Amino acid sequence: MAKIRILLADDHTLFRQGIKTLISAEPDMEVVGEAWDGQHACDLTDALHPDVIVMDANMPRLDGIEATRR
């Protein structure tokens, strides 16, 4: 069975690490990338094609709302 591929997008490293730890405990999920701002999230989405993106709304350069629109 294929795993659910997840991209984490948050400018707080500790938050990303905590969520990644929780996801890693699930056998049917994997974190395939981590973005530190909205523009990086867009770039990684184009490159990695995740199934799910966990997106922070308030990030530098490009906020999560605009990144989600794109």
Side-chain angles (χ1 to χ4, degrees):
M1 175 183 239
K3 291 186 176 188
I4 299 168
R5 299 166 35 84
I6 301 168
L7 171 64
L8 301 178
D10 195 292
D11 56 320
H12 295 96
T13 304
L14 288 176
F15 180 80
R16 287 195 322 268
Q17 289 173 346
I19 295 297
K20 186 175 182 178
T21 298
L22 292 172
I23 291 170
S24 296
E26 298 298 324
D28 58 344
M29 297 183 205
E30 70 176 322
V31 174
V32 294
E34 296 181 49
W36 52 80
D37 65 31
Q39 183 58 55
H40 191 219
C42 289
D43 296 342
L44 287 179
T45 297
D46 290 342
L48 301 173
H49 305 284
D51 299 312
V52 175
I53 302 171
V54 177
M55 181 86 71
D56 180 12
N58 296 321
M59 290 186 289
R61 270 203 323 165
L62 182 66
D63 65 42
I65 304 300
E66 183 59 29
T68 299
R69 278 191 200 115
R70 291 183 184 185

